[in-house]
């Protein structure tokens, strides 16, 4: 009896041993889950035991990088290929991010007891063998080659399925550039199912939005001129009770220092230079040309601003208002300089004309006196008949009085002309100085108030 009993015991021990070695392989687990057949219904139907049970799909996204923000006229570079202004994207208004999308759901038909298979708790299987939720992003404007999906899915013993994908997501976003470059943009990434309604599939997240934001900021590789402010999650929102939506609201904040240094400060500096140009002497002739040079410099900056801002913007951005106001102030200053220059030149021309008239009259008078001046003998009345050209009975006294009268009349005319020219020159010069002084003080007050308003406005925006 002992020998047959021992033989039976050894046979059972070998059988158990061989059975344990078979159950410890992944192949035996695949056979247990019925995933080795040629026709696999697991990849076709939604994996629930009761069709009325809805499947909860949980989606977490992590932001690895902010690549491009195309706001309609400029493409702010992150790690883009060109990193330069791209006028072809004028009306796109898109945002490009590098995302890591994690998706979780439960497959009720694929469960096992890990202790029956030597503690195998996780199983990696190809994506084509299981049902995968048909999740799309509504704002997606990417091409098909921008998504890199892992070739396998991870399945645990309780039926929990885990899928990962990397995506260079380009999505549409309505950008509000009124406060540019101190703006903050909020863009939505909306996940939903293409074919399932809210009764068969519900969307949610596994991790809360605060943790996702902190983790994204920790692992983010590139930001460019943007920084991640927050990622808010709107959980399981439905529209008309038909579909479930999961919305990630990503808030990006622009770093404005580059625009302040390269654009705003130079404009303010040009405005101050235009104000200082009032101390340039009008007689040097450099004042007007200096102001025109400043106006041309502002025009160049306005052309650069035209490439930065979109043509589709409804309201005028603050920075555009700032540039137009400075351009208008400098333009008015140029007009004032032209007026003062005209009045000054008019005074100089009047002076030259009066001086020329005075010299001409003096020359004519000297020539007349040279031809008509009597000799000393004629004045003493000792003119002999042989040396005179006039008859002896010529009224000498009458001729002398006539000459005196003509000289007095000429002197009066000359004095009146001098007073008139002097008054005209003084009036033009005084008017030019008055216009220049009054405009300088008004311009100074306007510039100071304008810069104060701009500074207070930008302080209120958080700069």
């Amino acid at each position: 009896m002992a020998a047959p009993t021992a033989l039976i015991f050894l046979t059972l021990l070998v059988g158990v041993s061989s059975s344990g070695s078979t159950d410890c392989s992944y192949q035996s687990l695949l056979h247990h889950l019925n995933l080795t057949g040629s026709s696999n219904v697991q990849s076709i139907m939604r994996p629930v035991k009761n069709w009325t049970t809805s499947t909860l799909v949980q989606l977490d996204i992590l932001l690895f990088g902010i690549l491009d923000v195309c706001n309609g006229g400029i493409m702010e570079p992150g790690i883009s290929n060109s990193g330069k202004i791209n006028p072809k994207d004028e009306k796109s208004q898109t945002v490009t991010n590098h995302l890591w999308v994690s998706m979780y759901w439960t497959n009720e038909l694929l469960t096992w007891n890990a202790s029956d298979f030597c503690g195998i708790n996780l199983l990696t299987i190809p994506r084509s063998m299981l049902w995968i939720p048909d999740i799309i992003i509504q704002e997606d404007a990417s091409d098909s080659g921008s998504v890199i999906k892992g070739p396998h899915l991870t399945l645990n013993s309780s039926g929990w399925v885990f899928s990962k994908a990397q995506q260079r997501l380009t999505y549409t976003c309505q950008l509000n550039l009124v406060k540019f470059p101190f703006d903050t943009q909020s863009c939505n990434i909306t996940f939903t199912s293409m074919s399932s309604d809210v009764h068969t599939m519900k969307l949610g997240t596994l991790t809360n939005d605060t943790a996702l934001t902190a983790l994204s900021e920790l692992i983010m590789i590139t930001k460019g001129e943007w920084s991640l402010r927050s990622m808010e999650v709107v959980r399981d929102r439905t529209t008309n009770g038909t579909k479930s939506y999961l919305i990630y609201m990503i808030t990006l904040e622009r770093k404005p220092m580059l625009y302040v240094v390269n654009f705003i400060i130079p404009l303010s500096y040009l405005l101050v230079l235009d104000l200082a140009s009032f101390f340039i002497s009008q007689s040097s002739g450099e004042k007007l040309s200096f102001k025109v040079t400043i106006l041309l410099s502002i025009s160049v900056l306005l052309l650069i601003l035209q490439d930065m801002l979109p043509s589709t913007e409804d309201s005028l951005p603050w920075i555009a208002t700032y540039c137009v106001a400075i351009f208008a102030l400098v333009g008015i200053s140029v007009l004032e300089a032209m007026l003062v220059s005209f009045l000054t030149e008019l005074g100089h021309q009047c002076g030259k004309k009066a001086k020329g008239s005075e010299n001409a009259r003096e020359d004519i008078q000297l020539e007349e006196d040279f031809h008509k001046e009597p000799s000393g003998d004629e004045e003493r009345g000792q003119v002999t008949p042989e040396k005179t050209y006039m008859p002896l009975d010529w009224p000498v006294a009458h001729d002398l009085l006539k000459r005196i009268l003509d000289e007095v009349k000429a002197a009066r005319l000359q004095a009146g002309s001098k007073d008139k020219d002097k008054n005209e020159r003084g009036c033009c010069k005084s008017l030019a100085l008055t216009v220049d002084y009054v405009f300088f003080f008004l311009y100074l007050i306007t510039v100071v108030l304008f810069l104060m308003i701009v500074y207070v406005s930008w302080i209120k925006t958080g700069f």
Side-chain angles (χ1 to χ4, degrees):
M1 291 293 296
T5 304
L7 183 59
I8 294 172
F9 177 75
L10 289 174
T11 303
L12 292 175
L13 182 62
V14 172
V16 172
S17 176
S18 62
S19 175
S21 62
T22 304
D23 292 339
C24 287
S25 66
Y26 289 108
Q27 188 67 27
S28 62
L29 181 56
L30 290 175
H31 279 290
H32 174 74
L33 297 176
N34 195 22
L35 295 176
T36 57
S38 59
S39 60
N40 184 16
V41 296
Q42 293 287 349
S43 61
I44 302 175
M45 305 303 297
R46 189 167 58 92
V48 290
K49 295 179 179 179
N50 188 346
W51 71 273
T52 59
T53 304
S54 60
T55 301
L56 176 62
V57 180
Q58 297 171 307
L59 290 129
D60 290 346
I61 64 172
L62 293 177
L63 201 61
F64 273 85
I66 305 171
L67 304 184
D68 298 326
V69 177
C70 299
N71 60 23
I74 186 172
M75 182 171 60
E76 289 81 2
I79 57 172
S80 58
N81 296 328
S82 61
K84 298 180 181 179
I85 295 176
N86 187 3
K88 296 181 180 180
D89 293 331
E90 184 180 359
K91 298 181 181 180
S92 59
Q93 295 217 8
T94 58
V95 179
T96 302
N97 291 334
H98 184 202
L99 301 179
W100 186 276
V101 182
S102 301
M103 187 162 52
Y104 314 89
W105 70 95
T106 301
N107 192 321
E108 299 179 359
L109 305 179
L110 298 179
T111 59
W112 71 91
N113 190 357
S115 60
D116 294 340
F117 297 92
C118 302
I120 298 178
N121 190 37
L122 293 177
L123 181 63
T124 302
I125 54 179
R127 297 178 63 92
S128 59
M129 298 180 66
L130 293 182
W131 176 85
I132 300 175
D134 54 344
I135 302 299
I136 61 169
I137 299 176
Q138 284 190 341
E139 297 85 4
D140 189 7
S142 312
D143 53 10
S144 58
S146 62
V147 181
I148 302 176
K149 296 180 180 180
H152 297 89
L153 301 175
T154 303
L155 176 66
N156 72 351
S157 58
S158 61
W160 187 69
V161 186
F162 172 53
S163 172
K164 281 188 176 181
Q166 280 186 330
Q167 184 172 1
R168 188 180 187 271
L169 177 64
T170 300
Y171 56 98
T172 58
C173 180
Q174 185 65 36
L175 304 177
N176 184 8
L177 299 174
V178 174
K179 297 182 180 180
F180 175 86
F182 306 99
D183 53 331
T184 300
Q185 306 297 337
S186 295
C187 302
N188 293 339
I189 300 178
T190 305
F191 293 93
T192 187
S193 174
M194 290 187 66
S195 58
S196 301
D197 57 13
V198 69
H199 301 291
T200 57
M201 185 183 299
K202 293 183 179 180
L203 302 181
T205 59
L206 184 66
T207 310
N208 59 38
D209 49 7
T210 304
L212 291 175
T213 302
L215 188 57
S216 296
E217 291 178 350
L218 183 63
I219 65 176
M220 189 173 294
I221 300 173
T222 177
K223 300 179 182 179
E225 65 176 274
W226 295 88
S227 60
L228 179 63
R229 190 169 183 177
S230 65
M231 291 175 59
E232 299 180 7
V233 178
V234 181
R235 297 174 182 268
D236 193 17
R237 195 186 75 175
T238 60
T239 304
N240 298 326
T242 57
K243 287 189 177 182
S244 177
Y245 293 88
L246 178 64
I247 301 175
Y248 279 89
M249 183 181 294
I250 299 178
T251 303
L252 304 176
E253 186 175 10
R254 192 192 302 267
K255 301 174 184 176
M257 187 56 63
L258 181 64
Y259 297 96
V260 171
V261 173
N262 293 335
F263 195 83
I264 296 177
I265 291 180
L267 275 175
S268 303
Y269 182 67
L270 290 175
L271 185 61
V272 173
L273 277 180
D274 182 67
L275 184 64
S277 66
F278 284 92
F279 297 100
I280 300 177
S281 176
Q282 189 70 39
S283 60
S284 63
E286 299 293 333
K287 183 176 182 180
L288 183 59
S289 61
F290 183 77
K291 286 179 173 291
V292 172
T293 304
I294 293 177
L295 190 64
L296 293 177
S297 302
I298 297 175
S299 301
V300 173
L301 293 177
L302 285 175
L303 291 176
I304 297 175
L305 181 65
Q306 181 181 0
D307 293 330
M308 292 181 180
L309 298 176
S311 60
T312 56
E313 192 69 21
D314 295 331
S315 56
L316 191 65
W318 290 357
I319 192 171
T321 306
Y322 173 73
C323 295
V324 171
I326 291 181
F327 188 82
L329 288 174
V330 176
I332 294 174
S333 177
V334 171
L335 293 177
E336 184 271 341
M338 293 172 64
L339 177 61
V340 172
S341 178
F342 170 75
L343 293 175
T344 304
E345 186 66 22
L346 183 62
H348 289 317
Q349 292 296 331
C350 291
K352 291 180 181 180
K353 183 179 180 181
K355 187 175 181 180
S357 300
E358 180 181 354
N359 293 334
R361 282 192 295 268
E362 289 179 355
D363 293 340
I364 294 173
Q365 186 65 32
L366 288 175
E367 185 177 357
E368 290 177 353
D369 292 342
F370 176 77
H371 290 291
K372 296 182 179 181
E373 183 178 2
S375 63
D377 294 336
E378 289 178 345
E379 291 179 356
R380 291 190 300 268
Q382 300 177 358
V383 181
T384 60
E386 299 80 29
K387 297 181 179 179
T388 181
Y389 295 99
M390 297 179 296
L392 293 177
D393 57 350
W394 184 262
V396 178
H398 181 269
D399 182 63
L400 182 61
L401 289 175
K402 185 178 180 181
R403 290 175 57 190
I404 293 174
L405 182 60
D406 291 339
E407 290 180 359
V408 172
K409 188 183 296 183
R412 288 180 178 178
L413 182 62
Q414 182 178 359
S417 177
K418 286 183 179 181
D419 293 339
K420 182 178 180 182
D421 294 338
K422 185 176 180 181
N423 291 333
E424 289 180 356
R425 291 197 304 257
C427 180
C428 293
K429 186 176 181 181
S430 176
L431 181 60
L433 291 176
T434 302
V435 170
D436 202 23
Y437 288 152
V438 171
F439 185 82
F440 171 73
F441 286 109
L442 292 177
Y443 192 67
L444 177 62
I445 294 172
T446 304
V447 168
V448 171
L449 291 177
F450 175 73
L451 293 178
M452 289 179 61
I453 292 173
V454 170
Y455 179 75
V456 171
S457 300
W458 284 344
I459 287 295
K460 290 182 178 180
T461 61
F463 175 70

